[in-house]
Amino acid sequence: MANPFGAELRWLLGVFLASLGIAVGLKTVAPLYPLPPTLGVILALVLFPSLVVAVALVWLNQSDNQTP
């Protein structure tokens, strides 16, 4: 009998691994490149992740609407 939650679990694992990779990357690489505390840098750091998620959600919504 196939697992009915297999696709959801793979998706959740992918999100978890991507999040883990980003967190480890930030923890190890970010201290090597000190950024100046200017308004532009702060806004970029705050708004860029939200922009990436918004674009991903719009793209996923577009692909869901195109499948019959």
Side-chain angles (χ1 to χ4, degrees):
M1 182 171 171
N3 184 1
F5 300 109
E8 287 84 1
L9 289 175
R10 281 192 304 273
W11 182 84
L12 187 61
L13 181 64
V15 169
F16 176 74
L17 290 175
S19 177
L20 180 65
I22 291 169
V24 169
L26 285 175
K27 185 74 173 172
T28 58
V29 175
L32 300 175
Y33 301 102
L35 297 173
T38 62
L39 180 62
V41 171
I42 293 168
L43 285 175
L45 290 174
V46 170
L47 296 178
F48 184 70
S50 300
L51 181 64
V52 170
V53 170
V55 168
L57 289 176
V58 167
W59 180 66
L60 288 173
N61 188 32
Q62 293 286 331
S63 64
D64 278 349
N65 290 338
Q66 292 177 358
T67 56

